[in-house]
Every structure is written in structure tokens, then in C-alpha cells.
Amino acid sequence: QVQLVESGGGLVQAGGSLRLSCAASGRSISDYAMGWLRQAPGKEREFVAVVNWLGVKKIYADSVKGGFTISRDNAKNTVSLQMNGGKPEDTAVYYCAAKRGLSTTVLPASYEYWGQGTQVTVSS
């Protein structure tokens, strides 16, 4: 069992930056792909970014490429999402999620463990 807790959300002006963090407990996440997903009001949960178990392979949604960076520290059992150049359309609850195994996925339904989410609001 993996427990995930996100932090770092808040209010930022358009063009600003935020760094989201996800702390895992219960077991090591070193053999899990780790993702960030988000859900805006009235919309379905959508993929944002994922990093493979080794931290080498990273995939981003087209909407965040060039602005967001995902990283992980297996020694500390943490995952981060650096958000630069925020836009109002990035406003959502952001979730950290884990999928066991070597492969990455962009499908929300493929993730086994989820955090409770952290609110990010980008004002125009």
C-alpha cells in the first residue's frame, strides 16, 4: 500500500510559478511510475506529466510542455512538479498518482494509488 500526500498548491498570478510536491509513505516508490494529473471544475481528470521509475523517461501533456517539469527523488520517496508560466486554464486540483511497474502511462484509470489533491489557482 502506498500513501501519497501532495503539497505546494496555492494562488499564483498568470505567468508565475509554483512547485508541487508529493511525499510517499508505506513503501518505496522506486519501482513505480509517478504521475501528476489534474481536474478542473466540471471537467474530467486529465493527465499532466509522468516520470518512469528511474527518472529518465518523462512524458508531458501538450498543454504543459515547455512550462512544467516533473522530477523524482527515490531516496527521499518524493515526486515534484515545477510549474512555470502558469495560465488561468491550469487552474485545477492537482493529484499525485502511482503506477507499479516499468512502463509509464497517460491514462488516469491505470494509476493504482492517488493522493488527496492540492488546489492550484492561476489568476488572470
Side-chain angles (χ1 to χ4, degrees), residues 2-108:
V2 177
Q3 291 82 44
L4 303 171
V5 178
E6 303 94 337
S7 61
L11 175 65
V12 64
Q13 289 188 333
S17 298
L18 275 177
R19 186 175 181 85
L20 305 184
S21 296
C22 174
S25 61
R27 60 156 291 159
S28 171
I29 58 170
S30 60
D31 55 348
Y32 284 76
M34 298 300 297
W36 286 95
L37 300 96
R38 67 188 181 187
Q39 188 166 20
K43 294 187 177 181
E44 293 186 353
R45 195 167 296 188
E46 66 174 4
F47 167 78
V48 175
V50 63
V51 58
N52 75 339
W53 66 281
L54 193 56
V56 175
K57 181 179 180 181
K58 302 177 183 180
I59 302 174
Y60 297 94
D62 288 343
S63 59
V64 306
K65 280 181 182 176
F68 290 14
T69 302
I70 189 170
S71 60
R72 67 188 297 161
D73 186 333
N74 287 342
K76 295 182 179 179
N77 235 27
T78 59
V79 182
S80 297
L81 184 70
Q82 178 67 42
M83 305 170 56
N84 295 330
K87 306 172 184 177
E89 52 263 42
D90 293 323
T91 295
V93 176
Y94 282 71
Y95 298 90
C96 174
K99 172 195 169 296
R100 190 168 187 175
L102 303 181
S103 63
T104 54
T105 181
V106 302
L107 300 176

